[in-house]
Amino acid sequence: MSQPPITPVTTPPPDKGGDDMATLAKGGRTNTLGFILRLLGGLPFLFVGFRLYGVDEMGRFAAAFVVIEIFALICALGEKRGLAQRLTEGIETDEDTPANLVFDAMLVSLVVSGLACLLLITFPAIIFPNGTGSDFDMWMIAAIPAFALTEILLAAQAYRYDIATTVRARAVVEPWVKSIGITAFFFIPALAGGGIALAFLAAIYAALLTALYSFLRTYGLPKAWRPRPRYLSKMTSRALPLIGADVIERGTRLLDVFLLGQFTSAGTVGIYWFAKEVVSLPQKLKTSFEPILAPVITKNLKTGNMDAIASQVRQVGFWIIALQAGIALTLAIPGEAVMGLGGPEIVGGTGALAILLAAEVIASMAVVSESVLVYIARKRNLAISVGVITLQGTLSVGFILLVQHWGYPEGFQAAGAAAALFVALGVASLVKSLVLKTLLKAPVSNWRWPLVWAAAPAVIVGFIFTEFTPEWVEIIIGGPAIFAAYFWVIWKYGFDEADKVLFRKNVAPIDSDLNASN
């Protein structure tokens, strides 16, 4: 079979501010569509998992998954955002081929992943606090190196402005393999007990192969590459602040599940995990722009164009919060019907669902601010993140124990963990945006009053559907109607011409405050 052509790798040409925003819009649009596909592909996994395997088994899986993802992020060495800077520096100094630089990261990642796997095998209580459900569950640990390598490969593709590979790997291949696998394994008697773990493992490795195929087409194989211990040590040391930022940023979304696993039953974790997975779409919207935002920011930092960076933060921040608010209303208003998809015992997590959706909206400013702070104030950003996750952990344990002391049911314990996350993310958004505003000497806020105006008709439409229609109508017709009412108002009164570039496939560079400094 003939080999696929190798696309030559060159440094992206310098753009003007309007070109930057068009690039960000295209990447964000592609990734946003991808995460919608991911939600649709992941829903069968949730539905089948909770219906066939039960709340307790899915709760055990959730507790294990959060530990795996945290370890995988550590093993990815912060390359999700750091690789763009290393590639830019390496190409400009002609020290290495891009493929060699990526392989450097992959080698260190494999070594660290091996150590992480050994640790979890030795101390399985870390990953399975409520015990395992089958002999296959321990195999989930093998997902760590694949997860980490996929992050590095996708970061390399993002540097070439290839977001489509991320969509294919994370939004199509991974969720659909997982959903198909959990159904298929259930009907194989010898594998049925480990269906959740095996489906998860198959999905992670399928995503890795998808990313690797695209990487080899774009970069090719390394040339005259060999391990360089001194350089690799320096690279790892330099990556520590980025690793900390990545782990803590993601950890704020996973710590609540981990703590619930330590202080409550597997059933409570299962209820909360269902709500968290429903919230995954608005949550992923924030990260939709991260892969494409990194090379744009590093380019403007190199030229010292702080005004352009502030404009990009304001613009992207508004895009994210506007879309998140609409999706949050769409899912929260018919919340009981949405949670009921997992079974009657899941409905008790409706309050947690509503709080989690609100938390993701308020967190948008923190994530966009951090995408710049990791480059211009790494240690300060890390210190803030450490403070935020400490606050969240303290509040989570306090709220959970308080609810248990008062004798409230499992759903209230889940809501307590969600409330702690809401407070922590709100603090993070406030502090990080203020720090970024000071450093850039320009406003960075993404808030606009039309967000409130657009919510009003959405709430009215939602009230009509929840009060006067059955649950299946609430979801199938009511949900889209709520979003349509919201989006019509935000489009008409909230979006200006610069904002509308997000929804246009063919767009020329725009002239606005986004490129005023050019």
Side-chain angles (χ1 to χ4, degrees):
M1 189 173 73
S2 61
Q3 294 295 322
I6 296 175
T7 304
V9 179
T10 57
T11 306
D15 296 328
K16 295 182 179 180
D19 293 321
D20 285 345
M21 293 312 303
T23 299
L24 288 171
K26 179 181 178 182
R29 184 169 57 244
T30 302
N31 230 356
T32 299
L33 174 62
F35 285 119
I36 294 174
L37 295 174
R38 182 174 187 170
L39 178 68
L40 295 176
L43 283 177
F45 175 78
L46 279 180
F47 181 79
V48 173
F50 276 91
R51 293 285 182 170
L52 295 184
Y53 289 89
V55 177
D56 287 348
E57 284 301 313
M58 289 298 285
R60 290 189 183 93
F61 165 76
F65 172 79
V66 299
V67 176
I68 288 171
E69 186 164 351
I70 287 296
F71 273 91
L73 286 175
I74 294 173
C75 298
L77 307 173
E79 293 290 72
K80 184 177 181 180
R81 287 177 283 200
L83 186 61
Q85 191 170 25
R86 285 204 309 115
L87 286 172
T88 300
E89 293 171 353
I91 292 172
E92 289 175 351
T93 58
D94 200 28
E95 291 180 352
D96 256 321
T97 67
N100 286 13
L101 293 172
V102 177
F103 266 67
D104 287 335
M106 292 173 68
L107 174 62
V108 180
S109 177
L110 281 174
V111 172
V112 178
S113 295
L115 295 174
C117 290
L118 286 175
L119 175 66
L120 293 178
I121 291 171
T122 305
F123 302 101
I126 297 174
I127 188 170
F128 295 108
N130 292 305
T132 58
S134 77
D135 294 335
F136 292 102
D137 286 357
M138 288 295 293
W139 282 97
M140 288 178 63
I141 297 173
I144 291 175
F147 199 117
L149 291 177
T150 303
E151 288 290 297
I152 294 172
L153 293 170
L154 293 179
Q157 291 303 109
Y159 180 76
R160 299 295 304 135
Y161 297 155
D162 173 16
I163 304 302
T165 296
T166 299
V167 172
R168 281 194 298 271
R170 293 295 193 209
V172 179
V173 174
E174 183 181 317
W176 281 107
V177 168
K178 191 163 60 174
S179 291
I180 293 170
I182 195 173
T183 305
F185 288 127
F186 182 79
F187 292 101
I188 301 176
L191 304 177
I196 300 174
L198 293 173
F200 168 72
L201 200 59
I204 295 299
Y205 275 89
L208 171 61
L209 293 176
T210 302
L212 181 61
Y213 175 77
S214 294
F215 171 81
L216 293 177
R217 283 178 58 90
T218 304
Y219 289 81
L221 292 171
K223 297 178 181 178
W225 176 80
R226 59 182 176 80
R228 296 168 293 175
R230 183 176 298 179
Y231 171 78
L232 296 178
S233 176
K234 180 181 177 182
M235 181 193 78
T236 305
S237 176
R238 183 182 177 185
L240 289 177
L242 286 176
I243 295 172
D246 281 350
V247 170
I248 292 173
E249 191 278 328
R250 186 62 185 138
T252 57
R253 306 306 194 284
L254 301 176
L255 180 64
D256 45 1
V257 180
F258 176 78
L259 291 175
L260 279 171
Q262 303 299 315
F263 288 94
T264 66
S265 66
T268 302
V269 179
I271 293 172
Y272 191 70
W273 178 252
F274 189 93
K276 292 276 285 191
E277 286 296 285
V278 172
V279 177
S280 65
L281 176 57
Q283 175 186 325
K284 293 297 183 182
L285 278 173
K286 294 191 297 298
T287 58
S288 294
F289 293 89
E290 278 186 358
I292 204 69
L293 192 58
V296 171
I297 287 174
T298 54
K299 183 193 67 178
N300 283 319
L301 283 174
K302 182 186 173 185
T303 60
N305 197 347
M306 299 301 183
D307 288 340
I309 293 174
S311 296
Q312 290 153 9
V313 169
R314 289 195 301 271
Q315 188 76 71
V316 173
F318 177 70
W319 283 342
I320 293 172
I321 195 172
L323 291 172
Q324 277 187 320
I327 295 172
L329 290 168
T330 301
L331 295 173
I333 295 174
E336 290 190 5
V338 171
M339 292 296 288
L341 293 173
E345 65 272 32
I346 304 295
V347 177
T350 303
L353 173 67
I355 298 172
L356 287 171
L357 288 167
E360 294 304 331
V361 175
I362 201 172
S364 61
M365 196 64 241
V367 175
V368 180
S369 297
E370 182 172 82
S371 65
V372 182
L373 290 174
V374 292
Y375 296 112
I376 64 176
R378 292 187 181 191
K379 293 181 180 179
R380 198 180 314 180
N381 176 70
L382 182 59
I384 297 170
S385 297
V386 170
V388 168
I389 200 168
T390 302
L391 173 65
Q392 183 199 355
T394 303
L395 291 177
S396 295
V397 174
F399 289 167
I400 292 170
L401 294 179
L402 189 61
V403 171
Q404 289 178 344
H405 176 73
W406 287 341
Y408 286 106
E410 294 178 338
F412 283 86
Q413 296 177 39
L421 178 64
F422 177 87
V423 174
L425 292 178
V427 171
S429 285
L430 178 62
V431 175
K432 291 191 177 186
S433 62
L434 288 175
V435 171
L436 183 61
K437 177 182 177 181
T438 301
L439 293 175
L440 296 181
K441 298 179 181 179
V444 296
S445 175
N446 63 348
W447 173 258
R448 300 182 194 176
W449 280 106
L451 292 167
V452 177
W453 308 340
V459 170
I460 294 172
V461 171
F463 175 79
I464 294 172
F465 275 95
T466 55
E467 288 296 317
F468 301 106
T469 64
E471 288 189 348
W472 67 269
V473 175
E474 286 183 45
I475 297 175
I476 297 175
I477 301 176
I482 292 168
F483 187 81
Y486 168 88
F487 192 77
W488 183 84
V489 176
I490 200 70
W491 179 267
K492 189 172 180 64
Y493 299 104
F495 278 73
D496 56 25
E497 287 304 311
D499 298 316
K500 293 177 182 179
V501 68
L502 178 63
F503 300 93
R504 295 172 182 158
K505 288 187 176 181
N506 300 314
V507 60
I510 54 177
D511 294 318
S512 68
D513 69 323
L514 303 175
N515 53 11
S517 60
N518 293 311

